[in-house]
């Protein structure tokens, strides 16, 4: 009997569980922690920073068949994100289909399937296939600089609460979303907030014209306009709304817009112009509690936080199942192995705009459609097998990306969605809005209103 192993019940594992269950595909889902949610589960050692808010709006974050409740803000907090994921699992009866507090220690492909070793079990289990939905934002990357720092030093992965920042001189190294979230709290609660960037990035607000920035970009991307013209509009918008970065005391970015992942924040630039955050270039060396920067300045620091991202690594398997020798994904649309028909990944991508969860649901549907076709529709399975072996679809921004771990999985939200919808349509699977959008905690009146909206 065919049975699959799903690793992880976070925001990307949950839709896989749901779609496999709906398709009648046998599976076991293993979650190492005590609840669903992955990095949004506050009890997980890999939980996000407590003050974190989603950087994608509710419209481009929500699962297609499950909306946020009416009182949720445009950008949900970490707690609200976990509440939403728990409500999703409860609404669709997923809790009973997940084995919690169970860690997958090793998976290995054999001639007749997969051998999966579970922590605490003496005998391995055997499965037809594997879906990796364990995420890739939990193996911290820490750079190496000359000297020794004698203060407290942590990776942002290990900073869970702003209480750690209280009355300390805080230096944050890195320019991602975790960096600006921590700097925001350090600016209010710390003795000093210092920000070091080896290279500058584009910073833009979370709202444009009163609308979420990602939905504005998504709407513009629907327009049948040349890409160069579209990027000209984006650059003009940045110039009008933000102006040159040099006016904030930041170096001009060494790349074009969207060649590297921009950082969304309404507070960071405000802190700079009010002097609550001091911007510095890259770190040169460390000595005692003093950190020296590449512009010949230095700062006395109590707490150094490396907000320097994560290394894509899978401790339970050979990384070469997914990554090539340079660390780039080998998978077709970051989902399907080119040669094997029994190995899949869900959530292994980074959109420059929009959220991960919504696209993960489309991935889950597509995986389930291909698995089902292998049994019930050999002709469709053969067509897709040939496609995934060599196709290189346009799912990016169409511009050169920076060769860093942060940008090797970059995708364009709308192009990725559209491509997967076309594939689902060819499989004969549902690719449009769900017929009945369920709402988290919504009243019957709210749910009826949503149904009427969808019908129109």
């Amino acid at each position: 009997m065919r049975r699959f192993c799903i690793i992880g019940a976070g925001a990307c594992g949950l839709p896989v569980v749901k779609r496999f269950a709906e398709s009648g595909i046998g599976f076991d889902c293993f979650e190492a922690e005590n609840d669903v949610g992955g990095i949004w589960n506050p009890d997980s050692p890999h939980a996000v920073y407590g003050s974190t808010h989603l950087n994608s709006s509710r419209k481009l974050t929500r699962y297609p068949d499950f909306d946020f409740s009416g009182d949720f803000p445009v950008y949900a907090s970490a707690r609200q994100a976990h509440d939403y994921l728990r409500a999703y699992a409860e609404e669709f009866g997923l809790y009973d289909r997940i084995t919690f507090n169970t860690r997958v220690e090793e998976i290995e492909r054999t001639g007749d399937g997969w051998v999966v070793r579970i922590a605490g079990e003496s005998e391995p289990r055997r499965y037809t296939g594997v879906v990796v939905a364990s995420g890739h934002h939990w193996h911290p990357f820490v750079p190496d600089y000359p000297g020794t720092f004698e203060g407290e030093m942590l990776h942002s992965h290990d900073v869970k609460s702003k209480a750690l920042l209280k009355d300390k001189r805080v230096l944050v190294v890195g320019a991602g979303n975790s960096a600006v979230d921590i700097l925001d709290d350090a600016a209010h609660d710390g003795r000093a907030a210092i920000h070091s960037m080896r290279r500058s990035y584009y910073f833009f607000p979370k709202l444009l014209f009163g609308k979420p920035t990602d939905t504005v970009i998504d709407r513009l991307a629907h327009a049948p306009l040349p890409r160069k013209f579209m990027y000209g509009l984006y650059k003009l918008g940045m110039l009008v709304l933000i102006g040159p970065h040099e006016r904030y005391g930041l170096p001009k970015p060494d790349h074009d817009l969207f060649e590297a992942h921009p950082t969304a924040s309404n507070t960071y630039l405000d802190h700079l112009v009010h002097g609550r955050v001091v911007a510095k270039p890259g770190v040169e060396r460390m000595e005692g509690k003093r950190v020296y920067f590449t512009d010949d300045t230095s700062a006395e620091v109590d707490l150094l936080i490396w907000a320097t991202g994560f290394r894509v690594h899978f401790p339970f398997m050979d990384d070469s199942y997914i990554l090539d020798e340079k660390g780039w994904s080998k998978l077709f649309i970051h989902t399907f192995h080119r040669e094997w028909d029994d190995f899949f990944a869900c959530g292994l991508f980074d959109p420059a705009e929009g959220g991960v969860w919504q696209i993960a649901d489309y991935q889950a549907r597509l995986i389930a459609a291909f698995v089902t076709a292998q049994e019930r529709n050999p002709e469709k399975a053969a067509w897709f097998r040939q496609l995934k072996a060599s196709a290189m679809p346009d799912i990016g921004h169409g511009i050169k990306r920076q060769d860093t771990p942060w940008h090797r999985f970059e995708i364009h939200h709308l192009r990725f969605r559209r491509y997967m919808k076309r594939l689902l349509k060819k499989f004969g699977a549902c690719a449009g809005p769900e017929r009945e959008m369920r709402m988290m905690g919504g009243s019957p009146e709210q749910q009826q209103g949503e149904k009427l909206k969808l019908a129109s």
Side-chain angles (χ1 to χ4, degrees):
M1 180 180 295
R2 292 166 62 87
R3 195 166 190 84
F4 288 76
C5 173
I6 302 172
I7 304 174
C12 298
L14 288 175
V16 178
V17 172
K18 178 178 183 292
R19 300 301 174 182
F20 271 39
E22 291 174 344
S23 301
I25 302 169
F27 67 90
D28 291 321
C29 177
F30 299 109
E31 167 55 49
E33 306 306 327
N34 62 352
D35 199 358
V36 301
I39 62 173
W40 304 100
N41 175 6
D43 294 331
S44 169
H46 308 298
V48 298
Y49 180 59
S51 299
T52 295
H53 282 70
L54 291 174
N55 283 298
S56 55
S57 66
R58 54 187 295 165
K59 180 178 179 180
L60 293 182
T61 298
R62 69 189 184 193
Y63 297 121
D65 55 355
F66 193 68
D67 200 359
F68 288 92
S69 64
D71 58 353
F72 261 47
V74 175
Y75 294 96
S77 68
R79 179 187 58 78
Q80 291 169 325
H82 189 228
D83 288 344
Y84 172 80
L85 295 173
R86 296 190 74 233
Y88 176 84
E90 290 171 356
E91 177 68 29
F92 296 107
L94 307 185
Y95 270 102
D96 291 340
R97 297 180 176 274
I98 301 165
T99 305
F100 292 99
N101 299 305
T102 305
R103 183 178 302 278
V104 173
E105 289 192 328
E106 184 181 10
I107 65 172
E108 183 180 5
R109 194 169 191 267
T110 64
D112 58 348
W114 290 82
V115 172
V116 177
R117 293 178 176 82
I118 305 296
E121 296 186 2
S122 57
E123 294 296 323
R125 304 190 188 198
R126 295 189 176 275
Y127 289 93
T128 306
V130 170
V131 183
V132 176
S134 56
H136 58 291
H137 290 151
W138 50 269
H139 192 85
F141 169 73
V142 177
D144 185 25
Y145 289 102
T148 302
F149 182 68
E150 295 179 357
E152 187 178 4
M153 187 163 58
L154 296 169
H155 190 275
S156 58
H157 169 273
D158 300 310
V159 182
K160 306 301 182 186
S161 167
K162 66 180 183 179
L164 288 172
L165 316 176
K166 186 72 173 176
D167 297 326
K168 293 178 182 177
R169 295 168 295 187
V170 180
L171 168 64
V172 178
V173 180
N177 297 318
S178 295
V180 294
D181 285 340
I182 294 171
L183 282 165
D184 183 40
D185 284 335
H188 292 294
D189 296 342
R191 285 177 57 194
I194 307 162
H195 186 206
S196 169
M197 290 184 289
R198 183 173 54 87
R199 58 191 301 187
S200 186
Y201 287 87
Y202 286 95
F203 296 89
F204 60 82
K206 288 189 171 183
L207 292 175
L208 292 176
F209 314 113
K211 299 287 186 179
T213 300
D214 60 355
T215 61
V216 173
I217 294 174
D218 193 73
R219 180 63 62 87
L220 287 173
H222 280 82
L225 297 171
R227 285 181 178 176
K228 287 186 178 180
F229 182 80
M230 294 298 299
Y231 286 120
L233 287 179
Y234 296 150
K235 291 177 186 177
L236 178 62
M238 286 289 292
L239 185 63
V240 171
L241 294 169
I242 304 298
H245 277 50
E246 298 93 312
R247 294 183 181 176
Y248 297 88
L250 300 172
K252 181 180 179 180
D254 63 355
H255 57 275
D256 213 344
L257 186 63
F258 290 123
E259 285 185 359
H261 203 97
T263 300
S265 174
N266 283 350
T267 61
Y268 175 70
L269 297 178
D270 184 65
H271 286 319
L272 285 179
V273 299
H274 287 93
R276 293 187 292 263
V277 171
V278 176
K280 293 288 186 180
V283 172
E284 184 178 76
R285 61 188 174 89
M286 300 174 286
E287 185 178 312
K289 282 193 172 184
R290 185 162 289 277
V291 178
Y292 295 83
F293 304 99
T294 56
D295 63 350
D296 296 326
T297 64
S298 65
E300 197 82 10
V301 175
D302 301 308
L303 173 61
L304 193 164
I305 298 174
W306 300 108
T308 44
F310 300 85
R311 185 165 68 90
V312 179
H313 171 59
F314 306 92
F316 52 81
M317 71 179 188
D318 189 330
D319 286 349
S320 67
Y321 288 168
I322 288 179
L323 307 177
D324 66 16
E325 62 278 1
K326 294 183 179 179
W328 291 77
S329 171
K330 299 191 300 185
L331 305 182
F332 171 60
I333 58 173
H334 301 298
T335 311
F336 299 87
H337 196 280
R338 297 281 184 176
E339 300 172 3
W340 306 336
D341 296 341
D342 54 8
F343 181 79
F344 316 94
C346 189
L348 189 62
F349 58 87
D350 287 310
E353 74 295 314
V356 170
W357 308 354
Q358 191 173 105
I359 293 182
D361 181 79
Y362 288 114
Q363 283 184 302
R365 298 186 205 198
L366 201 52
I367 294 169
F370 179 52
V371 170
T372 302
Q374 290 180 57
E375 282 193 348
R376 304 177 189 172
N377 195 331
E379 185 177 335
K380 286 277 179 70
W383 156 75
F384 188 77
R385 190 176 293 115
Q386 184 176 6
L387 177 74
K388 74 183 180 71
S390 58
M392 301 292 290
D394 180 9
I395 57 172
H397 282 269
I399 56 179
K400 180 183 177 183
R401 295 171 294 179
Q402 297 294 306
D403 186 11
T404 70
W406 195 14
H407 303 105
R408 290 173 184 167
F409 299 88
E410 193 99 349
I411 58 99
H412 186 283
H413 204 274
L414 177 62
R415 290 194 183 96
F416 203 4
R417 292 197 323 261
R418 279 179 168 173
Y419 187 71
M420 288 191 290
K421 285 182 178 181
R422 288 200 296 269
L423 295 180
L424 284 166
K425 188 175 182 179
K426 289 185 177 182
F427 270 116
C430 177
E434 301 295 325
R435 291 182 179 177
E436 292 192 5
M437 167 78 78
R438 305 195 198 189
M439 295 185 68
M440 173 189 170
S443 66
E445 292 78 11
Q446 287 176 309
Q447 294 190 39
Q448 183 61 32
E450 188 67 29
K451 291 176 185 177
L452 293 173
K453 189 191 303 180
L454 286 170
S456 63

